[in-house]
Structures are given as C-alpha cells and as structure tokens.
Amino acid sequence: MKNKLFAILLAVAALFSNQAKADLAIDVSGAMRDPMPIAIPEIIHDGFFIGQQGNKILEVVGADLERSGLFTVVDEDSYIQEFDSMSQEPNFTDWKAIKAQALIQSEIVQVDENTLKVSFRLWDVFAENQIAGQSYTTTKDNWRRIAHVIADAIYERLTGEKGYFDTRIVYVSESGPATRRVKRLAIMDQDGENHKFLTNGADMALTPRFSPNLQKITYMSYAGRIPRVYILDIETGQQMVLGNFPGMTFAPRFSPDSSKVLLSYASNGKTNIYEMDLKTRKSKRLTYGNAIDTSPSYSPDGSQIVFNSDRAGNQQLYVMDADGSNVHRISYGTGRYATPVWSPRGDYIAFTKMANGQFYIGVMYPDGSGERLLASGYLVEGPTWSPNGRVLMYFRQDAPSGRSSAPVKLYSIDLTGYNERQIITPADASDPAWSPLLP
C-alpha cells in the first residue's frame, strides 16, 4: 500500500527558477469575498492519449481549487491564446481581457511506458510575471495524486497557507434500516475518489481516527459484542485490541507523534480518560471522579488535552495538561458541548454544540473565548480539521420525513463559516476523520 496509495513521487524539481515575487494573493483569514478567477488552458502534449491523461489531471486541479471556494475557473471557451511549449510566455493582454487574475500553464510528457512528467507554471496576469513553477515525475497510475499535489502548490502560493488536497478521509459508511444499521470503516481521497472499505460490516465500527504517521487508524468496534478500541494497520489490514480493559473503551485519538493513544474507559457508571503508550502497552489514568469524561484530543504540541465532561451537571469542554493536571473549564455558553478537537495550527478548538433543539458546529479559542458557530441543523456533529486548519468536515442529518429517516451525509465548511459543501459518498456517512498531508 505504501508504494500504491501513498504514491511516491519519483522526482520533484523547481521549474524556471528565475521566478519573480508578486503580490497576487488571497486573504483567507477575513470574510467571504468573490473567488479569484483562474485560467487553466489545455495542457501542452505531443499525443492524443497523453493529452487526454493530462487534461484529466487539470480537471482535478480545477475541481480542487473551486471546491475550496477561493477560486473560480474561467470558462475555457473564452480563452484567446493557446500554448505550444512551456517556454512560450503568455500574451497577458489576452488573459486580462477575460478577467483572469491567475493563469496555469502546463505540460505532460510520457517518459517511458509507465512514467509521466508533469510540469506547471503559475502566472500573475496583472503583474505579468511567473510566481511558481514545478515539475513532477511519477508513475501513470499516480496521476490523481499529482493533480492534488499541483493544486496544493497553487493554493499555497496564492493563499500563503499549506494546501489540503493531497489527503484522505476515513469515515463510517452506514447502510440498512435504522433498526439494523450496518456501520463499517471506509477510506477515500478528500474529493471522494479512490473509495475503499476497510472493514466488512460484520461488527459495528465507530469514531475512526488517523495516526499522524498515516499508517494506522484507531477506532471503536463492537467485535465480540464488547465495545473496545482497536488499531488497524492500513497497509497490512491487521488489527488488534488496544489494552486489556475489562469493560467498554471508546473515543480514541492518537498523540501528535503517534506514540500514544487517548481513550475513554467506562466502568461502574463512570467514565475516565486514559493514555496508553503503544510501545510499552502501559496505560495511565488521567481523570478521576464520578463524571463522564470523554472525547479527548491533544493540542498539536502534545502538551495539553481538551475533552468534554458532565462533571458540572451537563456536557462542557475542559482543558488539562497532558499528565492530567491543571483541569479547567473553557465553555460557558448556553447549551451542551461535545466532541472537541484541537486545530492542527493550535489556534482553535472545534466542537459540537446542542442548544435550543438544534445542533451546531463551532470553534473557540483554546481559552474558551471567541466562540463562533459555523453550521447548524437537526443533527450536525463530529468535526474534523483539514491538515492546514482552514476547513472543517462533519456529518449532517436532516429531520425525519414521516417514518423515514433522512440520509446521513458528510459536509465541509470553511473556518470563516462559508462554502458549506456536501462530500459525495456511495452510501450514508458519519464520523469523518481527515488525514495529514500525504508524504
């Protein structure tokens, strides 16, 4: 799987290194504005079939950028200039005439029977200079991966933020009637492609979470009719129970260095948070008392943990040091708070909120200030962060219609609260978890 799904780049090199710095950029931290018009003309190629392959790559690049809500691809029917080679510079008057602000010039070359070389140049149309350019050599079956890498490079140059397109999503695929729901793990690229089931549905699986090193997933399964936390090796398909707890364990999450896992252990009517060292298999109890403490999530540097607890009478958010000390409450708004998850940037904590008969997806600063609600509905739950901390994914279900339950679907939304979009999956979907950028 490492050679296939993680798709190693054989070569990455800067293209046309005499790039001039320009001021063309998108401010992603402010309120919603009109998306930047970007032109993506046909890829330069020397054969029909290789040209088809190249234009499929450009379609994915354009779809990635448009899905971010920050870009719009200018209609290709309006393009005036065509490119014959990568050394040919744009006629900027032609691109200004159709109001393109950025331009992607690209080329695909077949190196041998199984190898492609894909190059691109990114131009600032109004400043009339090149602001990025790279060349990638890879295998033919890796073409979608190359498209996501190119989209990430363009996104980063024009926003100043790391991209998030070369990533994957693990989630719970749901099927069957409400009384006999089948829930199994599935994995896919962030755009819904390369879909694959990881478990067969014989045992219910919930709350999957990626390890930062991408090789493993931790999740809760009802295998053997006892809810327990498991670790699944994505490459080998092997799984194992985490720990030797006699009762129910759930809500697992890896530490930033993948060496430990947090989980909740329910026993005698109370639930506490434990940390398990994956090398020594020794567990350490972090919370004490008669409350339900669950849904722990590390800060990016591993020094703190956010979790939800009903120790104050209803579900609220708390932060503690990684050793379980210095516990303090951070949520004080109306309603109940759950499923907190720390942003990869460390600047926000996302959460699910329940208030006034509605569910909400929101964010707040780690000290509890600056609460903002981004999405709402009959049921919206389970936020997960993109690796650049700019986008959230979660699942949504509308109110039932008569006796029929509404479908459960994945959605994403920008940190500013704009650009809510459905993520297409083969069946109902819940509990998403976003991977880091692929290596």
Side-chain angles (χ1 to χ4, degrees):
M1 179 173 282
K2 182 178 290 184
N3 294 331
K4 221 41 173 170
L5 289 182
F6 292 108
I8 299 171
L9 293 177
L10 301 180
V12 181
L15 181 68
F16 301 100
S17 58
N18 59 337
Q19 300 167 13
K21 185 176 180 180
D23 294 327
L24 184 64
I26 296 175
D27 180 5
V28 297
S29 62
M32 182 61 180
R33 61 198 64 204
D34 291 337
M36 175 186 288
I38 187 166
I40 310 179
E42 183 177 2
I43 199 165
I44 299 163
H45 59 88
D46 60 1
F48 177 76
F49 292 108
I50 194 70
Q52 281 190 320
Q53 183 87 69
N55 285 315
K56 286 196 296 185
I57 292 173
L58 293 189
E59 286 177 8
V60 173
V61 171
D64 279 348
L65 294 174
E66 285 200 313
R67 198 162 45 251
S68 75
L70 300 176
F71 303 89
T72 182
V73 178
V74 179
D75 185 354
E76 63 181 321
D77 290 340
S78 66
Y79 297 174
I80 301 168
Q81 183 183 18
E82 295 181 355
F83 290 102
D84 299 319
S85 73
M86 288 296 279
S87 61
Q88 179 185 1
E89 294 201 358
N91 183 335
F92 293 106
T93 301
D94 289 346
W95 299 105
K96 290 176 186 177
I98 62 172
K99 302 189 180 334
Q101 294 181 26
L103 167 67
I104 302 172
Q105 183 182 8
S106 59
E107 180 182 48
I108 187 168
V109 175
Q110 183 163 331
V111 178
D112 57 37
E113 186 176 339
N114 194 44
T115 309
L116 301 173
K117 181 179 180 181
V118 183
S119 308
F120 82 92
R121 302 176 76 179
L122 177 64
W123 297 89
D124 180 338
V125 172
F126 289 96
E128 300 189 0
N129 58 16
Q130 181 183 325
I131 56 177
Q134 285 185 311
S135 179
Y136 307 89
T137 302
T138 188
T139 56
K140 280 186 177 181
D141 61 359
N142 197 29
W143 67 271
R144 293 193 67 88
R145 174 85 192 276
I146 285 294
H148 295 318
V149 170
I150 291 173
D152 278 333
I154 293 166
Y155 180 98
E156 181 175 357
R157 179 57 189 86
L158 294 177
T159 68
E161 304 275 358
K162 286 285 187 182
Y164 58 91
F165 306 119
D166 188 26
T167 56
R168 295 188 293 173
I169 306 295
V170 63
Y171 72 97
V172 175
S173 178
E174 302 190 19
S175 59
T179 55
R180 296 190 306 277
R181 204 70 166 153
V182 175
K183 297 187 178 186
R184 54 180 173 165
L185 298 187
I187 193 169
M188 62 185 179
D189 294 348
Q190 56 80 27
D191 60 357
E193 297 295 332
N194 292 325
H195 191 276
K196 178 184 177 182
F197 290 110
L198 298 176
T199 58
N200 60 18
D203 301 302
M204 183 183 295
L206 298 172
T207 60
R209 301 290 181 259
F210 270 105
S211 67
N213 66 13
L214 291 168
Q215 295 177 2
K216 293 180 173 62
I217 291 169
T218 185
Y219 66 102
M220 187 188 82
S221 173
Y222 279 79
R225 299 185 179 180
I226 300 175
R228 294 180 188 236
V229 169
Y230 286 76
I231 289 183
L232 172 68
D233 189 305
I234 302 174
E235 294 186 25
T236 65
Q238 294 181 340
Q239 65 177 19
M240 62 180 179
V241 177
L242 187 62
N244 189 28
F245 298 91
M248 176 178 179
T249 55
F250 57 101
R253 195 177 292 271
F254 282 96
S255 63
D257 64 359
S258 300
S259 68
K260 301 172 183 176
V261 168
L262 291 172
L263 54 83
S264 297
Y265 172 45
S267 178
N268 299 322
K270 50 192 175 184
T271 301
N272 284 287
I273 295 170
Y274 285 72
E275 180 184 71
M276 174 161 283
D277 187 299
L278 295 179
K279 185 175 181 179
T280 65
R281 297 298 179 194
K282 291 182 178 180
S283 61
K284 176 183 177 181
R285 184 171 175 176
L286 300 180
T287 64
Y288 294 83
N290 298 318
I292 297 176
D293 299 334
T294 187
S295 300
S297 172
Y298 287 99
S299 61
D301 64 2
S303 66
Q304 294 180 293
I305 295 168
V306 63
F307 64 100
N308 63 257
S309 174
D310 65 355
R311 61 182 63 192
N314 67 347
Q315 283 178 292
Q316 298 294 331
L317 303 186
Y318 293 80
V319 169
M320 62 182 174
D321 291 344
D323 62 1
S325 64
N326 191 27
V327 179
H328 55 283
R329 180 174 166 179
I330 63 169
S331 63
Y332 286 94
T334 303
R336 296 179 292 133
Y337 295 77
T339 65
V341 56
W342 222 301
S343 164
R345 300 158 57 99
D347 52 353
Y348 285 103
I349 291 171
F351 55 85
T352 301
K353 182 174 182 175
M354 296 142 279
N356 303 316
Q358 284 275 99
F359 277 71
Y360 302 87
I361 299 295
V363 294
M364 64 174 65
Y365 294 123
D367 64 1
S369 64
E371 179 178 323
R372 291 188 293 116
L373 302 178
L374 308 180
S376 64
Y378 174 77
L379 175 63
V380 289
E381 194 172 359
T384 182
W385 290 97
S386 64
N388 68 354
R390 301 305 314 179
V391 181
L392 284 163
M393 189 176 294
Y394 51 94
F395 64 96
R396 172 188 290 278
Q397 184 177 32
D398 295 331
S401 176
R403 296 184 179 180
S404 301
S405 297
V408 185
K409 298 297 180 184
L410 301 185
Y411 282 79
S412 65
I413 196 165
D414 188 86
L415 181 58
T416 61
Y418 293 92
N419 194 38
E420 186 179 43
R421 292 178 181 244
Q422 183 182 341
I423 311 300
I424 303 301
T425 53
D428 283 6
S430 61
D431 282 343
W434 214 317
S435 81
L437 280 172
L438 299 179

